[in-house]
Amino acid sequence: MNTKVQEIKPNQSTQTEPTSTEPNSKVLKNQYIPTAEFYSQVIKSLEDYSIFTLDNELLVNSWSSGSTKLFQYETEEVIGKHFDILFTEEDKKNEIPKGEIANALKDGSAKDNRWHIRKDGSKFYAYGLVYPLTGIGGERLGYVKIVRDNTDKKNAEDAIIQSELKFRGLMERYNDAIVMVDKYGAIEFVNKQFKKFFGYESEEIIGKLLEELMPERFRMKHIGHRMQYMAHPTARPMGLGLELYGLRKDGSEFPVDISLVPFDTNEGMVFSAFIRDLSDRKRYESQQKFLADTSIVLQENIDFDLRLVKMANLITPFLADFCMIFISENNQLVSKVNIHSKKLLEETLALVAANLFSRPEISPYRAEGKTDSLKPLLIEDVSDSFLQTLTIDEKHLEDFKKILPKSLLFVPLVAREKIIGAVILGMSSSKRKFSEVDILFVRLVEYRIALSIDNIRLYDEAQRAIYAREDILSIVSHDLRNPLAAIKGGFQLIPQLLKGKNEEQINTLVSTLGDSATFMERLINDLLDFSKIHQGNLSLQLKEISIEKLISEIIELSQGKAKEKSIDLSSTITENASTLICDPDRIKQVLNNLIGNAIKFTPENGKITLGIQEQAEKFYFSVIDNGPGISKENLLHIFDRYWQVKKTAHLGTGLGLFIAKGLVEAHGGGMWLESEIGKGSNFQFEIPKIINSK
């Protein structure tokens, strides 16, 4: 484009018609139309701005000194070049230059704030404007672009934005809940942690009064405190010396610690409340106190059952709404303590506990269980279907429902890798539920209870060992003394009797010596068996033996003593009974003891029946007599070592039934007694068909 500049003199009026008839000047009456050359002269006079014009092909056709200063290009370097050399490669790729021109044509002008590039490749942030140039006839002459370096302002704005982002990011990542409140107490801002604490989404709480986050009993009083604080704001903790509580959306409360920080803003004073949930700290403090209290109880020199009662009372309601404690006795979990926060339900709770472990197949824990297969069982929400798996019948199920089990936690009591008991904790309120966090603490409690139980049992075993040693010494010193004296005296009489050749007296003496020796042998064998059973190292010699042969040998061995009292000794065997794998000598020892006792206590002309039944997995043995029977009081001690009915204490050592029961248990079976005064006794034991020999 070849243009000439029309000079305008200071005093020259633009109201007169110019005499020039140059093609680039357009004249209307009373109006001067500037030419492109005129714009070029104006542009050169603006040093603080980059101003340049473009033709319709977007080629630079004028360039100001301000443009050279900003972009570093001299006029001759840029005239005739496409103006996209001033844009970054990314903007050129996205066709930003063309888009800028299109917006200018569409809207009459286009504003643009973006990065531009200098000749040396450095970038600066620019504020830009583009206007289309239009002639009198409406033809488009080109474009003018104005660019100003705005880098400093951009950097300052970016710094402010980054600062705000960092501040907001800090607030969002802060572990405490943050609430910003205006001078009227209305909530303006909450961070992300706020939802975790209070349960509200930000849009649910923004604009509401701060007091909505407090229990109702504190609200009116807090409004006065807030107004006083706004009158004299300082950064300080809130509620010094007081226990403060927050109110969640679901209506539950939790302990909090609050710090207040005031801020001056253009809109007035605001303050931020930094809210810390103290639930964990309070829980930890209360747990430590609870553990200290349990330690005191478990160390008290009181009856063990009373200790368990005190423990259950500490647990309820601190850890649960109800508590059941079971202890392993004779390989069975037995209910010991049942405490419910609602005392009226304790009787029902006891009924539930009594039947809870009555059937091994539905028991969460079994006394013989190993710890590697048994872990705490958490039932966060109890269903009827789950209760049905624990209960034995409809009555048991209904009782279980009456104690209101909403959430349950089963914890085994473990000592030396054996289940020695179990604790069952329950929540009756739907607002209180057990979680994985509770398991960690309950395991600490369980460990203390189990340790206490195990220590007591070890102490009892040690005491029993001491008593056993003393009993053995007593037996050895007393019971062996009599037969030894008889033997010693007999041997002293033998020479005299031989001189007199008194054959009858000699035979009587020999018989007496034999009985004394037999008694001593039996006593020594009993003591040896007792020691092996007590120490758990009794070994079995397993063999296969015919049931009929076993019974016939036992009957034949005992028939003589039975006939002396005219007692009818017989046997019954199921038709399918064939062979038994056992230690025959030990089973004979058991049966001889039971039949011998039956003969001893059954009156003359009485009846004794030895019975054997074979079932799918076990053999059942019974020795039934019609003797005097045993009282309920004596039934409790019948299998205790060294225990004898007072009237018959002189008839044995008191180890027979204890040893018999131990021999049966060594086979993996069990022994029990059914008896009633005046109706006789029924000793029973079972032997499994598959025996794990030690």
Side-chain angles (χ1 to χ4, degrees):
M1 176 189 296
N2 295 320
T3 59
K4 294 183 179 180
V5 178
Q6 172 67 42
E7 183 181 1
I8 302 176
K9 296 181 180 181
N11 295 323
Q12 181 177 345
S13 172
T14 58
Q15 300 297 318
T16 59
E17 293 184 355
T19 56
S20 174
T21 58
E22 293 175 347
N24 289 326
S25 295
K26 302 294 181 179
V27 180
L28 291 180
K29 187 176 181 179
N30 298 326
Q31 185 175 2
Y32 171 72
I33 303 300
T35 63
E37 193 170 352
F38 171 78
Y39 282 111
S40 178
Q41 293 297 323
V42 173
I43 287 170
K44 288 179 180 179
S45 66
L46 298 175
E47 297 292 334
D48 294 331
Y49 292 83
S50 168
I51 305 176
F52 55 90
T53 58
L54 308 172
D55 63 16
N56 288 326
E57 301 300 323
L58 305 183
L59 304 179
V60 178
N61 60 14
S62 68
W63 189 252
S64 70
S65 59
S67 298
T68 298
K69 181 178 178 181
L70 184 58
F71 286 97
Q72 299 177 347
Y73 288 103
E74 297 296 337
T75 304
E76 59 272 15
E77 293 180 292
V78 75
I79 293 296
K81 299 284 184 69
H82 197 286
F83 87 122
D84 66 4
I85 64 170
L86 309 178
F87 288 82
T88 65
E89 290 300 323
E90 183 179 357
D91 284 351
K92 284 191 281 187
K93 181 179 179 181
N94 294 328
E95 298 188 345
I96 296 299
K98 291 183 180 180
E100 191 175 274
I101 297 300
N103 289 336
L105 290 174
K106 177 182 176 182
D107 301 325
S109 66
K111 295 180 182 180
D112 190 27
N113 292 281
R114 68 178 57 256
W115 292 96
H116 285 61
I117 192 164
R118 297 185 178 94
K119 178 182 176 181
D120 64 3
S122 61
K123 293 193 298 184
F124 65 94
Y125 195 80
Y127 169 78
L129 288 170
V130 177
Y131 296 95
L133 297 176
T134 306
I136 291 298
E139 70 276 18
R140 189 168 68 248
L141 303 177
Y143 308 90
V144 61
K145 181 166 183 177
I146 304 172
V147 180
R148 184 178 67 195
D149 187 348
N150 222 21
T151 304
D152 291 342
K153 184 178 180 182
K154 170 65 174 175
N155 289 339
E157 290 175 350
D158 286 349
I160 292 172
I161 292 171
Q162 289 300 317
S163 177
E164 290 177 349
L165 289 174
K166 288 179 181 178
F167 178 72
R168 179 175 287 274
L170 176 64
M171 296 183 76
E172 294 293 1
R173 291 192 296 271
Y174 204 69
N175 288 331
D176 296 341
I178 301 176
V179 181
M180 296 189 71
V181 182
D182 67 15
K183 60 184 178 180
Y184 302 108
I187 298 171
E188 293 187 329
F189 168 84
V190 294
N191 66 346
K192 290 182 179 178
Q193 196 72 358
F194 174 85
K195 180 183 177 181
K196 181 180 177 181
F197 282 25
F198 290 91
Y200 290 100
E201 299 288 349
S202 59
E203 58 269 18
E204 294 180 284
I205 202 68
I206 296 296
K208 294 187 177 180
L209 290 179
L210 177 64
E211 284 73 25
E212 295 245 358
L213 305 178
M214 302 176 182
E216 191 169 353
R217 61 185 181 278
F218 298 128
R219 291 179 182 175
M220 292 304 297
K221 191 174 183 179
H222 183 266
I223 292 175
H225 289 320
R226 173 167 54 79
M227 295 178 68
Q228 289 179 2
Y229 176 79
M230 294 302 293
H232 305 284
T234 56
R236 63 174 176 82
M238 178 180 172
L240 286 174
L242 300 176
E243 288 194 353
L244 304 176
Y245 291 89
L247 181 68
R248 296 188 180 93
K249 182 180 178 181
D250 63 8
S252 60
E253 298 182 12
F254 63 104
V256 296
D257 179 65
I258 303 175
S259 295
L260 303 175
V261 180
F263 292 95
D264 277 321
T265 68
N266 294 333
E267 298 178 358
M269 177 68 69
V270 298
F271 69 89
S272 292
F274 292 78
I275 304 172
R276 177 162 296 174
D277 186 349
L278 298 183
S279 299
D280 290 341
R281 191 174 83 184
K282 293 285 187 182
R283 185 185 301 111
Y284 175 78
E285 291 173 353
S286 60
Q287 286 177 349
Q288 293 305 304
K289 182 180 183 303
F290 176 83
L291 291 175
D293 292 341
T294 58
S295 296
I296 293 173
V297 169
L298 293 174
Q299 292 173 10
E300 286 182 328
N301 189 20
I302 57 176
D303 177 74
F304 176 64
D305 288 345
L306 182 56
R307 289 190 202 182
L308 293 182
V309 171
K310 285 193 172 186
M311 279 296 303
N313 278 311
L314 285 175
I315 290 172
T316 310
F318 178 76
L319 290 178
D321 293 327
F322 60 84
C323 170
M324 295 179 273
I325 300 179
F326 300 81
I327 302 298
S328 173
E329 294 181 355
N330 298 321
N331 284 334
Q332 185 175 359
L333 290 173
V334 178
S335 173
K336 286 292 184 180
V337 181
N338 304 287
I339 301 294
H340 201 296
S341 57
K342 296 181 179 179
K343 296 301 179 183
L344 293 176
L345 293 176
E346 283 191 356
E347 185 176 345
T348 305
L349 184 66
L351 293 175
V352 171
N355 294 310
L356 197 56
F357 294 112
S358 59
R359 284 166 48 191
E361 66 272 17
I362 64 171
S363 296
Y365 303 109
R366 302 182 186 182
E368 69 275 12
K370 297 285 187 180
T371 56
D372 57 0
S373 62
L374 294 171
K375 298 179 181 178
L377 176 63
L378 170 64
I379 309 298
E380 190 171 344
D381 294 290
V382 175
S383 64
D384 287 351
S385 59
F386 174 75
L387 292 182
Q388 287 175 350
T389 66
L390 295 178
T391 51
I392 59 175
D393 52 33
E394 287 298 323
K395 176 64 169 56
H396 194 202
L397 177 61
E398 289 304 313
D399 285 340
F400 216 137
K401 290 181 180 180
K402 288 178 183 177
I403 63 175
L404 308 174
K406 301 294 184 182
S407 184
L408 290 173
L409 183 57
F410 297 75
V411 184
L413 297 175
V414 181
R416 291 178 289 170
E417 298 186 352
K418 288 290 185 179
I419 302 299
I420 62 171
V423 176
I424 301 178
L425 305 179
M427 295 294 192
S428 297
S429 170
S430 58
K431 292 185 178 180
R432 294 183 71 189
K433 292 183 180 180
F434 291 112
S435 66
E436 295 293 336
V437 176
D438 296 306
I439 292 179
L440 298 176
F441 179 67
V442 171
R443 289 303 295 268
L444 290 176
V445 179
E446 167 267 321
Y447 172 76
R448 290 168 180 247
I449 297 175
L451 183 63
S452 177
I453 295 171
D454 195 44
N455 286 340
I456 289 173
R457 287 185 169 179
L458 289 174
Y459 175 79
D460 289 344
E461 287 179 8
Q463 290 297 108
R464 286 196 295 270
I466 293 172
Y467 295 148
R469 183 186 64 191
E470 293 175 351
D471 289 340
I472 291 173
L473 290 173
S474 175
I475 291 171
V476 170
S477 63
H478 181 270
D479 291 10
L480 288 179
R481 183 177 297 168
N482 293 333
L484 278 172
I487 292 173
K488 182 179 179 181
F491 277 110
Q492 290 174 348
L493 288 174
I494 286 176
Q496 298 177 17
L497 294 176
L498 288 175
K499 288 180 181 180
K501 297 183 180 180
N502 190 335
E503 186 176 345
E504 183 177 351
Q505 287 185 339
I506 291 174
N507 290 335
T508 302
L509 179 59
V510 170
S511 177
T512 302
L513 292 175
D515 290 342
S516 297
T518 300
F519 178 82
M520 290 178 65
E521 182 183 22
R522 189 185 70 186
L523 181 59
I524 291 171
N525 287 336
D526 283 351
L527 291 174
L528 290 173
D529 286 343
F530 163 75
S531 178
K532 291 177 182 178
I533 292 171
H534 182 71
Q535 294 176 12
N537 57 9
L538 179 70
S539 61
L540 301 177
Q541 303 299 321
L542 299 180
K543 299 177 183 177
E544 186 175 11
I545 185 172
S546 165
I547 295 293
E548 291 186 359
K549 181 180 178 182
L550 176 66
I551 295 301
S552 63
E553 289 180 358
I554 294 297
I555 294 295
E556 183 180 353
L557 189 63
S558 303
Q559 197 67 260
K561 290 185 179 180
K563 287 181 178 180
E564 289 177 5
K565 297 181 65 174
S566 300
I567 293 175
D568 179 15
L569 176 60
S570 61
S571 63
T572 60
I573 307 174
T574 53
E575 293 181 1
N576 58 346
S578 54
T579 60
L580 170 66
I581 297 177
C582 65
D583 185 329
D585 292 336
R586 292 301 189 180
I587 295 301
K588 290 177 184 178
Q589 184 179 345
V590 172
L591 291 172
N592 280 331
N593 181 280
L594 297 180
I595 293 174
N597 284 341
I599 292 173
K600 187 187 303 181
F601 296 107
T602 300
E604 292 186 359
N605 300 313
K607 182 178 177 59
I608 299 173
T609 303
L610 169 61
I612 297 182
Q613 290 185 345
E614 182 180 2
Q615 295 190 2
E617 298 178 353
K618 297 179 181 180
F619 285 94
Y620 286 88
F621 294 77
S622 63
V623 176
I624 305 172
D625 65 61
N626 61 350
I630 301 173
S631 67
K632 290 183 179 179
E633 179 184 353
N634 289 331
L635 277 175
L636 298 174
H637 305 284
I638 196 69
F639 293 109
D640 293 350
R641 58 192 174 191
Y642 308 124
W643 186 88
Q644 300 178 65
V645 178
K646 291 181 180 180
K647 294 181 180 180
T648 62
H650 63 285
L651 298 178
T653 64
L655 288 173
L657 288 177
F658 175 82
I659 292 172
K661 185 172 183 289
L663 294 175
V664 169
E665 289 175 352
H667 281 78
M671 179 179 285
W672 61 97
L673 168 63
E674 296 175 0
S675 185
E676 188 175 347
I677 293 293
K679 294 186 178 181
S681 300
N682 181 5
F683 280 89
Q684 302 173 64
F685 66 91
E686 61 184 16
I687 300 292
K689 289 185 176 181
I690 299 176
I691 301 173
N692 296 319
S693 177
K694 293 183 180 179

